[in-house]
Amino acid sequence: METLMAVVIGVLFACAIYMMLRRSIVKLVIGLIILSNAANLLIFTVAGMTRGAPPLIPEGLYAPSGIVADPLPQALILTAIVISFGVLAFSVVLIHRAYEVVGTDDLDQMKDTDT
């Protein structure tokens, strides 16, 4: 399963870099979204893909008994999702404003305009 996830993550990173190298600023944002999803999958895969119970410690014990899931990667991924949503919202507003002012989403044409 980890091999399949590694291939999927590699394809997502390759697609994200390809989209970010395009001249359209909308494709740049799509590349950022794909890149953040690939990074989240990478954290999830590196942490280990074992199914387990929630990491609750029963009363009277000092450690969880049996196989438990690691909560740290899940917390990191949830934090990364919130941050990437904020970056996405900011970039969409920035793109909308740039398109209103310049009238194009092509980065080369944005550079050549004198406004």
Side-chain angles (χ1 to χ4, degrees):
M1 186 67 178
E2 283 84 5
T3 307
L4 175 66
M5 289 299 289
V7 170
V8 169
I9 292 167
V11 168
L12 282 175
F13 272 117
C15 290
I17 290 173
Y18 175 77
M19 293 296 284
M20 290 171 61
L21 292 175
R22 308 307 310 160
R23 291 196 324 219
S24 173
I25 198 163
V26 174
K27 291 179 183 175
L28 175 88
V29 172
I30 292 171
L32 283 174
I33 294 168
I34 295 172
L35 185 72
S36 67
N37 287 333
N40 290 340
L41 280 176
L42 180 67
I43 293 170
F44 181 71
T45 305
V46 168
M49 300 179 62
T50 59
R51 292 185 183 198
L56 301 174
I57 300 174
E59 189 173 338
L61 295 178
Y62 294 108
S65 59
I67 299 174
V68 295
D70 188 11
L72 183 63
Q74 297 172 13
L76 287 173
I77 291 171
L78 284 175
T79 305
I81 289 170
V82 171
I83 292 171
S84 65
F85 180 73
V87 169
L88 172 66
F90 175 73
S91 62
V92 166
V93 170
L94 190 65
I95 288 171
H96 180 67
R97 181 65 182 146
Y99 185 76
E100 283 180 350
V101 170
V102 180
T104 184
D105 70 336
D106 190 1
L107 292 173
D108 288 337
Q109 291 176 1
M110 283 183 178
K111 178 180 69 169
D112 295 334
T113 59
D114 294 329
T115 54

